[in-house]
Amino acid sequence: MDDVRRRTTDFKILLVIIAVTLLYGVLILLTLRSPESLGKQCIFLMYTFNDLYDLQDKESKWLSLIDKELQDDFRLDNDSRMISTYFKFKNKPTKVEFIYSSNSVIVYKVKNENIDEDRLFMFTFRVSKGRLTSIREYELKGVSKGGTDII
Amino acid sequence: MPKTLLKLTVSNSLLYTMCAVAILLICLVSYMVYFLYTAKEVETPSVILALFDDLFTSKDFNKVAQKYFLPGSTGGYRNKSVLHMEYVLGDSIAEVSAYELSNSEDGYIEVTMYDEEGSPVYPRFGFFYKLTEDESKIDSYVMVRLQPFSRLNEEYSKEWMM
Protein backbone atom coordinates (compact mmCIF):
# COMPACT_ATOMS: atom_id res chain seq x y z
CA MET A 1 0.00 0.00 0.00
CA ASP A 2 2.86 2.36 0.80
CA ASP A 3 4.26 1.82 -2.69
CA VAL A 4 0.91 2.61 -4.32
CA ARG A 5 0.53 5.75 -2.15
CA ARG A 6 4.04 6.92 -3.08
CA ARG A 7 3.37 6.37 -6.80
CA THR A 8 0.10 8.29 -6.54
CA THR A 9 1.93 11.20 -4.91
CA ASP A 10 4.60 11.11 -7.64
CA PHE A 11 1.88 11.24 -10.30
CA LYS A 12 0.26 14.19 -8.59
CA ILE A 13 3.54 16.07 -8.56
CA LEU A 14 4.09 15.26 -12.24
CA LEU A 15 0.55 16.37 -13.03
CA VAL A 16 1.19 19.73 -11.34
CA ILE A 17 4.48 20.18 -13.24
CA ILE A 18 2.81 19.42 -16.58
CA ALA A 19 -0.16 21.65 -15.77
CA VAL A 20 2.20 24.53 -14.98
CA THR A 21 4.13 23.89 -18.24
CA LEU A 22 0.87 23.90 -20.19
CA LEU A 23 -0.29 27.10 -18.54
CA TYR A 24 3.05 28.77 -19.27
CA GLY A 25 2.88 27.64 -22.91
CA VAL A 26 -0.66 28.95 -23.31
CA LEU A 27 0.36 32.28 -21.76
CA ILE A 28 3.31 32.59 -24.17
CA LEU A 29 1.05 31.74 -27.12
CA LEU A 30 -1.46 34.35 -26.05
CA THR A 31 1.14 37.10 -25.65
CA LEU A 32 3.28 36.17 -28.67
CA ARG A 33 2.58 38.43 -31.63
CA SER A 34 3.98 38.35 -35.11
CA PRO A 35 6.20 41.31 -36.11
CA GLU A 36 3.41 42.40 -38.46
CA SER A 37 0.79 42.57 -35.70
CA LEU A 38 3.27 44.27 -33.36
CA GLY A 39 3.98 46.96 -35.97
CA LYS A 40 0.30 47.46 -36.73
CA GLN A 41 -0.54 47.73 -33.06
CA CYS A 42 2.12 50.39 -32.58
CA ILE A 43 0.81 52.48 -35.52
CA PHE A 44 -2.75 52.03 -34.32
CA LEU A 45 -1.85 53.29 -30.85
CA MET A 46 0.19 56.25 -32.14
CA TYR A 47 -2.31 57.46 -34.72
CA THR A 48 -5.75 56.57 -33.43
CA PHE A 49 -7.06 59.11 -30.94
CA ASN A 50 -9.86 61.54 -30.22
CA ASP A 51 -7.74 64.33 -28.80
CA LEU A 52 -4.40 65.05 -27.14
CA TYR A 53 -5.55 63.66 -23.79
CA ASP A 54 -6.49 60.37 -25.41
CA LEU A 55 -3.07 60.33 -27.08
CA GLN A 56 -1.33 60.93 -23.75
CA ASP A 57 -3.22 58.00 -22.24
CA LYS A 58 -1.93 55.72 -24.99
CA GLU A 59 1.69 56.90 -24.95
CA SER A 60 2.93 54.33 -22.43
CA LYS A 61 1.28 51.53 -24.43
CA TRP A 62 3.09 52.28 -27.69
CA LEU A 63 6.35 52.99 -25.89
CA SER A 64 6.13 49.51 -24.34
CA LEU A 65 6.25 48.04 -27.85
CA ILE A 66 9.36 49.99 -28.86
CA ASP A 67 13.00 49.19 -28.11
CA LYS A 68 14.13 51.16 -25.04
CA GLU A 69 16.91 52.96 -26.92
CA LEU A 70 14.39 54.36 -29.42
CA GLN A 71 11.66 55.32 -27.00
CA ASP A 72 12.76 58.96 -26.62
CA ASP A 73 12.22 59.50 -30.35
CA PHE A 74 8.57 58.49 -29.98
CA ARG A 75 7.62 60.38 -26.82
CA LEU A 76 5.04 63.12 -27.02
CA ASP A 77 7.42 65.55 -25.32
CA ASN A 78 9.85 65.14 -28.22
CA ASP A 79 9.42 68.53 -29.92
CA SER A 80 10.72 67.38 -33.28
CA ARG A 81 8.21 64.53 -33.42
CA MET A 82 5.39 66.70 -32.14
CA ILE A 83 6.00 69.34 -34.81
CA SER A 84 6.62 66.96 -37.70
CA THR A 85 3.68 64.70 -36.89
CA TYR A 86 1.02 65.56 -34.35
CA PHE A 87 0.76 69.31 -35.02
CA LYS A 88 -0.50 68.45 -38.50
CA PHE A 89 -3.51 66.68 -36.98
CA LYS A 90 -4.56 69.91 -35.20
CA ASN A 91 -5.97 67.99 -32.23
CA LYS A 92 -8.77 66.47 -34.31
CA PRO A 93 -9.95 62.85 -34.09
CA THR A 94 -7.63 60.64 -36.08
CA LYS A 95 -7.76 57.05 -37.32
CA VAL A 96 -5.53 54.81 -39.41
CA GLU A 97 -6.38 52.57 -42.31
CA PHE A 98 -3.88 49.85 -43.14
CA ILE A 99 -3.17 49.47 -46.85
CA TYR A 100 -0.31 46.98 -46.93
CA SER A 101 1.49 45.09 -44.21
CA SER A 102 4.27 42.57 -43.84
CA ASN A 103 6.77 41.63 -41.14
CA SER A 104 8.87 44.76 -41.68
CA VAL A 105 6.83 47.22 -43.76
CA ILE A 106 3.41 48.72 -43.12
CA VAL A 107 1.71 51.21 -45.43
CA TYR A 108 -1.24 53.15 -44.05
CA LYS A 109 -3.50 56.15 -44.53
CA VAL A 110 -4.42 58.65 -41.85
CA LYS A 111 -8.06 59.66 -41.53
CA ASN A 112 -8.06 63.19 -40.18
CA GLU A 113 -9.94 66.23 -41.47
CA ASN A 114 -6.65 68.13 -41.89
CA ILE A 115 -4.82 65.41 -43.81
CA ASP A 116 -5.50 64.67 -47.47
CA GLU A 117 -7.05 61.20 -47.54
CA ASP A 118 -4.92 60.14 -50.52
CA ARG A 119 -1.63 60.57 -48.70
CA LEU A 120 0.19 57.33 -47.95
CA PHE A 121 2.56 56.75 -45.04
CA MET A 122 4.99 53.98 -44.35
CA PHE A 123 6.40 52.47 -41.17
CA THR A 124 9.42 50.18 -41.52
CA PHE A 125 10.86 48.23 -38.62
CA ARG A 126 12.54 45.12 -37.32
CA VAL A 127 11.67 43.14 -34.22
CA SER A 128 14.28 42.24 -31.64
CA LYS A 129 13.53 40.58 -28.31
CA GLY A 130 9.82 41.17 -28.80
CA ARG A 131 10.17 44.94 -29.37
CA LEU A 132 10.20 47.17 -32.43
CA THR A 133 13.59 48.43 -33.47
CA SER A 134 15.20 50.13 -36.54
CA ILE A 135 11.99 52.13 -36.94
CA ARG A 136 11.67 54.56 -39.84
CA GLU A 137 8.63 56.59 -40.79
CA TYR A 138 8.05 58.04 -44.24
CA GLU A 139 5.47 59.65 -46.37
CA LEU A 140 5.27 57.97 -49.77
CA LYS A 141 5.83 60.54 -52.50
CA GLY A 142 5.40 60.25 -56.25
CA VAL A 143 3.46 57.00 -55.89
CA SER A 144 3.55 55.35 -59.33
CA LYS A 145 1.77 52.06 -60.00
CA GLY A 146 1.69 49.59 -62.84
CA GLY A 147 -0.15 46.29 -63.32
CA THR A 148 -2.48 44.96 -60.64
CA ASP A 149 -2.80 46.79 -57.35
CA ILE A 150 -0.12 45.81 -54.82
CA ILE A 151 -0.78 48.64 -52.40
CA MET B 1 -10.76 -3.04 -8.68
CA PRO B 2 -9.46 -1.41 -5.46
CA LYS B 3 -10.23 2.34 -5.26
CA THR B 4 -6.59 3.48 -5.18
CA LEU B 5 -5.69 1.43 -8.26
CA LEU B 6 -8.66 2.85 -10.17
CA LYS B 7 -7.51 6.38 -9.26
CA LEU B 8 -4.00 5.51 -10.40
CA THR B 9 -5.25 4.23 -13.79
CA VAL B 10 -7.26 7.42 -14.40
CA SER B 11 -4.29 9.59 -13.38
CA ASN B 12 -2.07 7.59 -15.69
CA SER B 13 -4.12 8.17 -18.84
CA LEU B 14 -4.59 11.83 -17.94
CA LEU B 15 -0.86 12.11 -17.40
CA TYR B 16 -0.08 10.68 -20.84
CA THR B 17 -2.60 13.02 -22.50
CA MET B 18 -1.17 16.03 -20.71
CA CYS B 19 2.36 14.96 -21.60
CA ALA B 20 1.39 14.76 -25.29
CA VAL B 21 -0.35 18.15 -25.17
CA ALA B 22 2.61 19.72 -23.36
CA ILE B 23 5.07 18.40 -25.97
CA LEU B 24 2.84 19.62 -28.81
CA LEU B 25 2.53 23.02 -27.17
CA ILE B 26 6.28 23.32 -26.66
CA CYS B 27 6.82 22.41 -30.35
CA LEU B 28 4.22 24.99 -31.43
CA VAL B 29 5.72 27.74 -29.26
CA SER B 30 9.25 26.91 -30.51
CA TYR B 31 7.99 27.02 -34.12
CA MET B 32 6.31 30.39 -33.60
CA VAL B 33 9.32 31.86 -31.83
CA TYR B 34 11.65 30.63 -34.57
CA PHE B 35 9.61 31.52 -37.63
CA LEU B 36 7.70 34.57 -36.50
CA TYR B 37 10.16 36.23 -34.18
CA THR B 38 13.37 35.59 -36.05
CA ALA B 39 14.38 38.16 -38.61
CA LYS B 40 14.74 36.30 -41.86
CA GLU B 41 17.15 37.22 -44.59
CA VAL B 42 15.24 37.56 -47.82
CA GLU B 43 17.02 36.97 -51.07
CA THR B 44 16.15 39.60 -53.64
CA PRO B 45 15.07 37.97 -56.94
CA SER B 46 17.74 38.13 -59.62
CA VAL B 47 15.42 39.97 -62.04
CA ILE B 48 15.07 42.84 -59.55
CA LEU B 49 18.81 43.07 -59.03
CA ALA B 50 19.36 42.94 -62.80
CA LEU B 51 16.75 45.67 -63.31
CA PHE B 52 18.52 48.14 -61.04
CA ASP B 53 21.99 47.14 -62.21
CA ASP B 54 20.88 47.88 -65.77
CA LEU B 55 18.98 51.01 -64.84
CA PHE B 56 21.84 52.67 -63.00
CA THR B 57 24.41 51.58 -65.56
CA SER B 58 22.56 52.49 -68.75
CA LYS B 59 20.25 55.17 -67.26
CA ASP B 60 17.99 54.29 -70.16
CA PHE B 61 14.41 53.98 -68.90
CA ASN B 62 13.12 52.68 -72.26
CA LYS B 63 15.65 49.88 -72.51
CA VAL B 64 15.00 48.76 -68.95
CA ALA B 65 11.23 48.87 -69.42
CA GLN B 66 11.46 46.72 -72.56
CA LYS B 67 13.66 44.18 -70.85
CA TYR B 68 12.10 43.79 -67.42
CA PHE B 69 8.47 44.92 -67.51
CA LEU B 70 5.54 43.08 -69.03
CA PRO B 71 4.18 44.74 -72.19
CA GLY B 72 0.63 44.74 -70.74
CA SER B 73 -2.54 43.85 -72.61
CA THR B 74 -2.91 47.24 -74.25
CA GLY B 75 0.77 47.84 -74.82
CA GLY B 76 0.59 50.89 -72.59
CA TYR B 77 1.99 49.29 -69.48
CA ARG B 78 5.63 49.45 -70.54
CA ASN B 79 5.27 53.05 -71.62
CA LYS B 80 3.68 53.84 -68.30
CA SER B 81 6.59 52.24 -66.45
CA VAL B 82 9.00 54.48 -68.38
CA LEU B 83 7.02 57.55 -67.35
CA HIS B 84 6.89 56.32 -63.75
CA MET B 85 10.63 55.75 -63.53
CA GLU B 86 11.25 59.17 -65.07
CA TYR B 87 8.88 60.74 -62.59
CA VAL B 88 10.14 58.98 -59.45
CA LEU B 89 13.86 59.01 -60.23
CA GLY B 90 13.84 62.11 -62.40
CA ASP B 91 17.03 64.04 -62.93
CA SER B 92 18.62 62.51 -59.85
CA ILE B 93 19.46 59.39 -61.84
CA ALA B 94 22.06 61.32 -63.83
CA GLU B 95 24.24 61.77 -60.75
CA VAL B 96 23.87 58.18 -59.49
CA SER B 97 26.99 56.06 -59.77
CA ALA B 98 26.11 53.31 -57.30
CA TYR B 99 23.19 51.97 -55.35
CA GLU B 100 22.59 49.85 -52.30
CA LEU B 101 19.61 47.80 -51.15
CA SER B 102 18.94 49.14 -47.68
CA ASN B 103 15.91 47.02 -46.90
CA SER B 104 14.83 43.90 -48.67
CA GLU B 105 11.89 41.68 -48.02
CA ASP B 106 9.56 39.49 -50.00
CA GLY B 107 7.95 41.77 -52.62
CA TYR B 108 9.66 44.99 -51.55
CA ILE B 109 13.08 46.61 -51.70
CA GLU B 110 14.39 49.95 -50.56
CA VAL B 111 17.17 51.54 -52.54
CA THR B 112 19.73 54.13 -51.52
CA MET B 113 21.45 55.84 -54.42
CA TYR B 114 24.96 57.29 -54.26
CA ASP B 115 26.61 59.98 -56.36
CA GLU B 116 30.16 59.84 -57.74
CA GLU B 117 31.60 61.12 -54.47
CA GLY B 118 29.87 58.35 -52.54
CA SER B 119 27.31 60.66 -50.91
CA PRO B 120 23.74 59.36 -50.66
CA VAL B 121 21.17 60.89 -53.00
CA TYR B 122 18.08 61.40 -50.84
CA PRO B 123 15.27 60.63 -50.50
CA ARG B 124 15.66 56.91 -51.01
CA PHE B 125 13.10 55.08 -53.09
CA GLY B 126 10.99 52.02 -52.42
CA PHE B 127 9.92 49.46 -54.99
CA PHE B 128 7.04 47.06 -54.32
CA TYR B 129 6.86 44.31 -56.91
CA LYS B 130 5.06 41.20 -58.05
CA LEU B 131 6.86 38.97 -60.53
CA THR B 132 5.48 36.78 -63.28
CA GLU B 133 5.18 33.06 -62.46
CA ASP B 134 8.52 32.21 -64.05
CA GLU B 135 10.07 35.18 -62.20
CA SER B 136 11.55 36.55 -65.40
CA LYS B 137 9.62 39.83 -65.55
CA ILE B 138 7.87 42.34 -63.35
CA ASP B 139 4.13 41.79 -63.42
CA SER B 140 3.09 44.67 -61.16
CA TYR B 141 4.92 47.37 -59.25
CA VAL B 142 4.64 50.45 -57.10
CA MET B 143 7.53 52.90 -57.09
CA VAL B 144 7.78 55.65 -54.47
CA ARG B 145 10.19 58.16 -52.95
CA LEU B 146 10.52 57.83 -49.18
CA GLN B 147 10.19 61.26 -47.59
CA PRO B 148 10.90 61.32 -43.83
CA PHE B 149 8.35 63.09 -41.60
CA SER B 150 10.81 65.53 -40.09
CA ARG B 151 12.50 68.28 -42.04
CA LEU B 152 15.42 67.91 -39.65
CA ASN B 153 16.06 64.41 -40.96
CA GLU B 154 19.06 64.41 -43.32
CA GLU B 155 17.06 62.32 -45.79
CA TYR B 156 14.35 64.97 -46.10
CA SER B 157 14.17 66.50 -49.57
CA LYS B 158 12.64 69.88 -50.36
CA GLU B 159 12.19 68.68 -53.92
CA TRP B 160 9.57 66.16 -52.71
CA MET B 161 8.03 68.45 -50.11
CA MET B 162 4.65 68.91 -51.82
Side-chain angles (χ1 to χ4, degrees), chain B residues 25-37:
Chain B
L25 200 71
I26 288 164
C27 290
L28 187 64
V29 169
S30 311
Y31 170 85
M32 288 186 77
V33 168
Y34 184 76
F35 286 100
L36 297 179
Y37 257 64

Side-chain angles (χ1 to χ4, degrees), chain A residues 139-143, chain B residues 143-147 160-162:
Chain A
E139 177 171 1
L140 301 187
K141 293 284 189 177
V143 180
Chain B
M143 203 171 189
V144 292
R145 287 306 275 256
L146 305 170
Q147 178 82 298
W160 288 95
M161 201 161 68
M162 296 308 288

Side-chain angles (χ1 to χ4, degrees), chain A residues 115-129:
Chain A
I115 305 289
D116 186 332
E117 60 180 28
D118 293 331
R119 289 170 75 176
L120 287 172
F121 302 92
M122 188 159 93
F123 185 85
T124 67
F125 60 97
R126 289 277 181 261
V127 172
S128 174
K129 295 172 187 168

Side-chain angles (χ1 to χ4, degrees), chain B residues 5-154:
Chain B
L5 267 182
L6 180 71
K7 211 165 136 190
L8 194 64
T9 314
V10 171
S11 301
N12 229 346
S13 69
L14 184 66
L15 183 78
Y16 289 137
T17 312
M18 287 184 79
C19 265
V21 173
I23 290 167
L24 273 176
L25 200 71
I26 288 164
C27 290
L28 187 64
V29 169
S30 311
Y31 170 85
M32 288 186 77
V33 168
Y34 184 76
F35 286 100
L36 297 179
Y37 257 64
T38 310
K40 284 170 278 183
E41 286 293 320
V42 177
E43 203 170 306
T44 308
S46 55
V47 66
I48 298 294
L49 293 174
L51 160 75
F52 291 113
D53 279 346
D54 256 14
L55 182 64
F56 291 119
T57 309
S58 68
K59 295 173 186 183
D60 184 339
F61 295 125
N62 272 305
K63 181 189 150 194
V64 169
Q66 291 291 329
K67 201 170 168 185
Y68 298 102
F69 289 82
L70 276 183
S73 54
T74 60
Y77 172 77
R78 256 186 201 148
N79 298 337
K80 207 163 87 170
S81 66
V82 175
L83 291 176
H84 287 164
M85 283 189 282
E86 279 176 353
Y87 174 51
V88 176
L89 298 176
D91 296 337
S92 62
I93 197 163
E95 53 181 307
V96 175
S97 65
Y99 77 96
E100 179 187 38
L101 301 184
S102 41
N103 186 4
S104 181
E105 71 156 69
D106 195 19
Y108 173 73
I109 57 163
E110 224 166 88
V111 180
T112 309
M113 300 173 286
Y114 294 92
D115 64 17
E116 283 178 1
E117 290 168 356
S119 305
V121 179
Y122 290 134
R124 292 185 286 168
F125 72 88
F127 190 77
F128 293 87
Y129 60 87
K130 196 175 127 195
L131 301 180
T132 52
E133 271 185 32
D134 62 359
E135 298 197 345
S136 64
K137 291 210 187 291
I138 293 155
D139 177 85
S140 306
Y141 66 89
V142 179
M143 203 171 189
V144 292
R145 287 306 275 256
L146 305 170
Q147 178 82 298
F149 285 0
S150 171
R151 290 179 191 211
L152 301 175
N153 190 312
E154 60 166 351

Side-chain angles (χ1 to χ4, degrees), chain A residues 54-114:
Chain A
D54 187 19
L55 199 59
Q56 281 169 336
D57 286 343
K58 288 175 176 163
E59 185 184 20
S60 61
K61 288 180 189 164
W62 78 66
L63 289 177
S64 72
L65 303 176
I66 295 171
D67 186 81
K68 281 185 179 160
E69 285 185 15
L70 289 180
Q71 284 182 357
D72 285 348
D73 295 342
F74 291 88
R75 289 184 195 282
L76 288 174
D77 58 9
N78 179 321
D79 290 346
S80 165
R81 178 163 180 75
M82 203 62 180
I83 293 166
S84 64
T85 311
Y86 292 109
F87 273 15
K88 290 172 183 165
F89 300 142
K90 297 182 180 166
N91 203 23
K92 294 290 179 189
T94 304
K95 285 181 182 173
V96 286
E97 181 192 343
F98 295 107
I99 306 295
Y100 170 95
S101 61
S102 69
N103 280 339
S104 65
V105 175
I106 294 171
V107 177
Y108 62 96
K109 281 182 178 179
V110 172
K111 304 279 185 187
N112 174 292
E113 64 180 55
N114 297 298

